[in-house]
Every structure is written in structure tokens, then in C-alpha cells.
Amino acid sequence: MSKKIRVLVIVASVRPRRRADAVLAWWRAATGPCAEALGVDVEIADLREVHLPFDDEPEEPDTGRYIHEHTRRWSRTVAGADAFVVVTSEHNHSMPASLKNAFDHLAAEWAGKPIAWLSYGNTSAGTRALLSAKQVATTLGLSSVPGDISLHLADWTGDTPPADAARSRRAVRQLERLVAYAQALRPLRGPRIDVGGLAAGLVAHRAQTGDAAELLVLQRCCWVDEAIVNNTLAIAALHEDLDEVSSAIATRRVVVVRRGARLIASVQCWQDGADWRIGRLMVAPDERRRGLARVLLRYAQEQRPPGTRRITLATGAHSRANIALYESEGFEQVRAPADDVIELAKRSDLCNAS
Ligand SMILES: Cc1cc2nc3c(=O)[nH]c(=O)nc-3n(C[C@H](O)[C@H](O)[C@H](O)COP(=O)(O)O)c2cc1C
């Protein structure tokens, strides 16, 4: 499924009286119909409102450990975006410090996503700001799309950029490219995870909020099979909504596997009291019978914290293929089925034997 692309427009200037708002209004008017036709969600991140103090996190951003709520909020905003448009002025032949600070606050949240540039300024129309900003963006794993738009302040009448149909068309083309890049780059998103035994052509990464919609569709598709073999619709995985899947992504270790841009498999694991719990192991129907479920099951077992004594999971009482897989990996049924669900467990010290 191709989900809606979320474009985050970052307004760099935080000056009290700024031209940025007029530039943004021009861009929105020029690209609005195109964004609607492409089904793009456009959100604005005004750095004046995002309000990040300078370099105030004790840990380096690539640890992903943030202590301040403003950084966590910024992290969620950037992680949830598929692509960026930066609206920036030029300060002393470089980008404004507010923009550099917004980039520097995060790391992995930017990686593998495209970015489009819209600058404005005096002599160089802000293009020198872009030179420095692009260097930073490249370091963070962002990919600049071609076709920067740069506005000369000298051309303005008062506080408004002049009408220019050719420039408006360029803005539309830039947005179209941005969306195409966002779709093409999706397989590169998020830090890649090294999953032993993963077949060539498949890429695993930690699920991000932006994966929730695709994950939900795959989950429902996979659990329809479970509903059929168990002759019941009373299966939690079939009824979860987008918020619940997003919440699992935020609180559990959720791994997704993609073939190209398509999400084809996933597994989750988390601490459940004294046990390490594995759940929502799913592989798209046309990708089954190639050992991917076993690869993910083993990976999920390996993620248990040191000292874990037991790994648990559950499946439908009539899900014969699942039960066979789990038993072949050393899991044993721990009690009689209740509500048509079988609980299985494995002693952690047996994991390396599987
Ligand atoms: C600290 C500072 C440095 C500036 N340096 C440049 C510059 O190097 N090149 C340029 O074209 N304009 C420069 N300008 C002018 C800005 O491009 C202009 O003020 C623009 O409107 C700023 O964007 P804003 O109004 O949205 O904040 C500078 C402005 C400030 C405040």
C-alpha cells in the first residue's frame, strides 16, 4: 500500500518581524493544488514555535536518548515526516543559527529522507545559506532534491514576493520530485538492523511512526488467515487501530522488513514482567515459505535482555503452521488452550541450541 506522504515545511527564521511568513504563504498558494492532487499531508514546523534552546541535551543526538520534552517533541515531529521543505533566509552567507540548531538536535530522525530548499535574501537570494545547509543535511543522511527555489528580496513590492507563474510552476515540480524521492527512499528509512539470515534484497529496520499505516494493513491481512483457520474474529490483532499500532512502535521493539519500498514482514518483542515476549510475527502471504518467519523469530529471541529466563508467545489453538514453527524452535505449550489461544514458552538458556 502506498500511504500518504507527510511533508514537513520547516520555517527557519525566528525573527520577530520576518519575511518568512510571506514566503511561506507564497509557497502554499503555489503548491496547494498540487499537494492536494498528490494526496500529500503538509505540516508546518515554525522554529519560532518549536523553540529549541541551543544544544541543551547532555547526550549526543545519535544515541537517541533525549531528556527534554521539547527535544522529544521535535524528534516525534521529524521522525513522523517523510520529506522536508526548508524555507530559509541567509544570515552572514550561511543558514540562520535556528536552522542549524534544529538540525543538530536530532540525528537518525532525518536519515534516508528527501529535502527541498526554498531560500530568500539580498544579493544571492539566500543561495549561500543553502550551500552551508546542504552540507549539514548531507551529513545527516538527507537527500536534496534538484530545483532549489530562491527569491530576491530586491524584487519584492513591500512585504510580498512578486507574482511569477514560472516560479510557481518550479515550486510545483519541486514538490512533485520531493514526493517521488520520498517514495523511492522509503527502503532506506530508519537505522538498518542487521538480522542474521535475512535473504538478499530484504532490508530490516526499526519501525518508525511513519510505518504504522502499512504495518496495520499487513497485520490485518495476515490475521485474516488466522481468523479463518481458528474460525473466529475475536482476535486482538485484527481489531487494533492506527493509534494502537503506533503505540506499539513507540513502546516495544518493532522491526519491519521491506523488499524495495514494500513492507513485507514484521515482529515485535518486549519485556513482559519477568518474561521476554514475542508477538505480531507476520509475513505477507506471497512472501511465505522462504524462512522469513523463522529468521524474525530467531532475531526476536536474540533481543532478550541478559538474565531473561523465559521467552513467551501465543498463537491460535488451530494455527497449525505457527505451532509447528514455534515447536521446531524449542517452544513448548505451557497450559491448555484458553479462548482458543495457546501459550508457548521456551527457557532462555535453550535459545542458542535452536
Ligand atoms: C543577522 C543577519 C544577517 C544577514 N545576512 C545576510 C546575508 O548574508 N545575505 C543576505 O542576502 N541577507 C542577509 N540578511 C538579510 C536577510 O536576508 C533579510 O533580513 C531577510 O528578510 C531575513 O529573513 P526573515 O525576515 O524571514 O527573518 C541578514 C539579516 C540578518 C538579521
Side-chain angles (χ1 to χ4, degrees):
M1 179 194 118
S2 93
K3 71 180 176 75
K4 271 193 156 191
I5 295 289
R6 282 194 282 181
V7 173
L8 188 70
V9 182
I10 300 173
V11 179
S13 172
V14 295
R15 291 196 323 125
R17 281 185 54 230
R18 60 183 185 186
R19 293 194 174 90
D21 299 301
V23 177
L24 177 64
W26 168 79
W27 183 85
R28 295 211 76 163
T31 59
C34 169
E36 208 175 307
L38 291 170
V40 170
D41 274 339
V42 176
E43 289 167 45
I44 309 298
D46 180 347
L47 294 186
R48 198 154 71 183
E49 284 161 21
V50 173
H51 202 70
L52 295 166
F54 278 96
D55 274 346
D56 62 336
E57 287 287 341
E59 304 257 11
E60 292 188 16
D62 52 11
T63 62
R65 286 193 292 271
Y66 308 126
I67 64 164
H68 296 300
E69 187 45 37
H70 51 252
T71 316
R72 291 187 182 143
R73 210 177 311 121
W74 183 229
S75 165
R76 284 194 296 274
T77 303
V78 172
D82 300 298
F84 307 96
V85 175
V86 166
V87 177
T88 187
S89 52
E90 180 170 304
H91 280 190
N92 298 315
H93 297 194
S94 182
M95 74 184 109
S98 49
L99 181 58
K100 178 70 161 58
N101 184 50
F103 278 132
D104 288 350
H105 256 79
L106 309 177
E109 294 87 339
W110 302 107
K113 300 178 187 178
I115 188 162
W117 303 96
L118 170 51
S119 72
Y120 54 100
N122 293 318
T123 357
S124 73
T127 51
R128 291 170 299 203
L130 298 191
L131 294 179
S132 61
K134 284 182 181 178
Q135 196 176 1
V136 173
T138 304
T139 307
L140 288 166
L142 287 153
S143 299
S144 292
V145 303
D148 305 339
I149 313 265
S150 298
L151 309 181
H152 261 293
L153 292 176
D155 299 340
W156 290 36
T157 18
D159 272 343
T160 322
D164 180 338
R167 185 160 53 211
S168 297
R169 281 197 299 277
R170 285 214 315 279
V172 166
R173 275 205 301 279
Q174 187 191 40
L175 181 62
E176 287 169 347
R177 280 197 192 110
L178 187 71
V179 170
Y181 270 51
Q183 277 156 346
L185 289 176
R186 200 172 270 160
L188 302 180
R189 295 269 299 276
R192 278 175 77 143
I193 294 176
D194 195 9
V195 174
L198 203 61
L202 302 187
V203 172
H205 64 85
R206 187 87 184 253
Q208 303 196 351
T209 325
D211 296 315
E214 281 173 285
L215 191 53
L216 179 61
V217 170
L218 180 66
Q219 180 170 312
R220 292 210 178 149
C221 160
C222 290
W223 265 270
V224 166
D225 290 354
E226 293 301 294
I228 293 167
V229 293
N230 289 285
N231 195 26
T232 176
L233 289 174
I235 301 177
L238 263 184
H239 298 283
E240 274 177 1
D241 62 18
L242 200 57
D243 285 345
E244 286 164 309
V245 172
S246 302
S247 156
I249 289 174
T251 56
R252 298 174 177 175
R253 185 168 187 87
V254 182
V255 170
V256 292
V257 176
R258 289 183 184 276
R259 180 186 294 286
R262 182 179 170 223
L263 198 161
I264 59 159
S266 180
V267 70
Q268 307 180 6
C269 40
W270 66 97
Q271 191 75 49
D272 181 24
D275 296 333
W276 185 241
R277 184 81 175 172
I278 298 175
R280 303 287 184 270
L281 175 58
M282 61 187 98
V283 177
D286 58 317
E287 293 280 352
R288 291 178 190 164
R289 301 185 205 299
R290 295 178 210 163
L292 183 50
R294 189 179 299 277
V295 162
L296 288 180
L297 178 60
R298 289 188 176 173
Y299 171 80
Q301 295 177 65
E302 286 160 14
Q303 302 315 302
R304 69 193 183 279
T308 304
R309 294 178 56 185
R310 207 169 76 133
I311 304 174
T312 63
L313 46 78
T315 192
H318 304 284
S319 305
R320 258 185 274 153
N322 295 355
I323 296 167
L325 168 67
Y326 300 144
E327 289 185 340
S328 72
E329 284 290 312
F331 285 83
E332 293 175 348
Q333 296 184 30
V334 285
R335 55 176 172 267
D339 299 329
D340 272 344
V341 172
I342 291 185
E343 279 285 332
L344 297 104
K346 175 177 178 179
R347 279 201 353 244
S348 202
D349 56 337
L350 300 177
C351 283
N352 298 337
S354 62

